Structures are given as structure tokens and as C-alpha cells.
Amino acid sequence: MLDPRFLSAPWTVITTTAELVESGRLQENLIASVQRVLLGLAFGVPLGTFLALLSGLNRWGEAAIDGLVQIKRAVPALALMPLLILWLGIGEVMKVTVITLGVLVPIYIHTHNGLRSIDNRYVELAETVGLGRGAFIRKVVLPGALPGFLLGMRFAVTTAWLYLVVAELINSTTGIGYMMDLARTYGQTDVILVGIVLYGLLGLFSDAGVRLVERKALSWRRTLAG
């Protein structure tokens, strides 16, 4: 019923997916995109956690860090792209940096909130039994912040794919975003739809993986979900 130049039929998209897999284009671009996301998570998650610990456990740290992270949260990714391109060029470093900055924010916010939500009775108990600083962080702070951290991870993995789209649509030669942008040039709506569906599935499976870890790691919690 619709002009294929406007929107391809579902069976056309399925056929196109098979052709892309057969030619190896889909696998090549998918691997490039997954590598960028994994690198962004590898840098962004530890950095966001470290900043959350500094800010959540120290008032001076919070005064110095929290405002800057909140400003970053309010700045759209596209607004940073011109500056990052000037600083880092258009190569892989820029793309990974964009994803890292996107991942850092939800990890920081939810881990910081988890730290601030720790019941003060546990803190008093730790002081009563004489826990040292290291033991206090290990036995009280980290377990208490874990629910917030894992919630942040759920947002982080989906945010990573969102920022990947932004990064790959600018001067890329590989990746799902590059494949979609090239398809736009030639009016191939079927290839664009393959990319959109792929992004959605990657986000869904990433979130499902974190939820599985969350259920295992927080099995001690009693919630309405059981």
C-alpha cells in the first residue's frame, strides 16, 4: 500500500537482512558498533562509579563534582560534537569519548543516589563494631550502593547505543549508523529499517542482560516483583 521509497514492506526488510548477512556487511558493521559500545562502557562505568564514590562519601567531593555532572546531563550529545571533533578529530577516539560521556551520567546519578539512600542505622552499626574505613566501604557502602549502581547500568547500556547512533552518523566508515547513513544517501529504506530494528534489539538484549545480573546479585531483596 505504501511507496517503497517511503517505507519498505516487512518481507523486504527480512530479505534485505538475509542479503546483508550473506554478504558479510551486517556482521562487519555490527562488530564495529559493539566494539565502540564496549569501550565506552569500559571507560564510562568505572569513571562514573569513581566520581559517585568521591561525591557520595565526601561533602567536598560533592561540592566539586555533582554540579559539573548535572550540567553535563543537561547538555545534549549533539551540542558536544563540534567541540569533540575539533579536539579529537573524527576517528575512533572521538566516538568512544562520546559514548563514555553518555554512560558516565546515569552510572554517577544512580550510584550516588544509592549511596545517599543507605540506611543510617548501618552506618551507626559499623561505628559501633569499630569497622575501619576500608571495611566500612566493603561491607556497608558497596552493598548499599549496588541496587542504585545496577539501575544505573540499565540506563547506561541503552544510553550507550543511543550515543553510538550520534557518533556513527558523523564521518564514519564502519558501524550500523554508517550503514544507515549510506542507505539514506541511496534511498534504501529497507536497510535503514534493518538498522533501526537492530539498534532496538541490541538495546533490549543489553537491558535484559543487566536485569539478569540484577536478579542474581540482589536475590536477597524482598520486593513486589518477588
Side-chain angles (χ1 to χ4, degrees):
M1 294 175 62
L2 297 174
D3 187 332
R5 292 173 297 179
F6 179 74
L7 190 68
S8 296
W11 47 87
T12 305
V13 175
I14 293 171
T15 303
T16 300
T17 303
E19 292 172 353
L20 289 170
V21 170
E22 186 177 353
S23 67
R25 283 181 59 199
L26 190 63
Q27 299 93 307
E28 179 186 351
N29 289 309
L30 176 60
I31 290 171
S33 294
V34 169
Q35 285 177 341
R36 289 168 185 149
V37 166
L38 291 177
L39 283 171
L41 289 169
F43 289 114
V45 171
L47 184 57
T49 305
F50 177 70
L51 292 176
L53 289 172
L54 281 182
S55 178
L57 298 177
N58 187 289
R59 291 186 178 181
W60 290 105
E62 183 171 27
I65 295 169
D66 192 66
L68 295 175
V69 176
Q70 298 303 330
I71 290 172
K72 167 60 192 74
R73 183 174 66 152
V75 175
L78 285 173
L80 293 174
M81 294 302 294
L83 194 58
L84 290 176
I85 290 172
L86 283 174
W87 286 350
L88 305 173
I90 58 174
E92 292 300 307
V93 175
M94 181 274 291
K95 295 175 179 60
V96 172
T97 301
V98 169
I99 298 169
T100 299
L101 292 174
V103 165
L104 180 152
V105 174
I107 291 291
Y108 170 86
I109 289 174
H110 291 286
T111 304
H112 182 271
N113 183 63
L115 288 168
R116 289 300 186 183
S117 302
I118 295 175
D119 195 324
N120 196 51
R121 289 175 296 177
Y122 295 124
V123 179
E124 294 172 353
L125 179 60
E127 292 174 351
T128 301
V129 299
L131 283 182
R133 186 70 173 176
F136 173 72
I137 291 176
R138 256 190 348 267
K139 297 181 180 293
V140 178
V141 172
L142 295 181
L146 187 59
F149 169 78
L150 290 173
L151 178 60
M153 277 297 298
R154 290 186 61 186
F155 282 96
V157 293
T158 51
T159 300
W161 293 110
L162 175 64
Y163 275 67
L164 176 72
V165 177
V166 175
E168 287 189 339
L169 288 177
I170 297 177
N171 294 312
S172 290
T173 56
T174 57
I176 304 169
Y178 163 73
M179 183 180 73
M180 293 170 65
D181 193 44
L182 192 63
R184 174 191 59 80
T185 304
Y186 294 104
Q188 298 171 314
T189 55
D190 51 345
V191 177
I192 295 173
L193 287 172
V194 170
I196 292 172
V197 171
L198 194 54
Y199 273 131
L201 291 175
L202 289 168
L204 178 65
F205 292 143
S206 300
D207 180 70
V210 177
R211 289 178 66 184
L212 179 62
V213 173
E214 186 179 33
R215 282 198 297 271
K216 298 292 184 181
L218 303 179
S219 58
W220 48 271
R221 289 200 308 173
R222 290 183 176 272
T223 64
L224 288 175

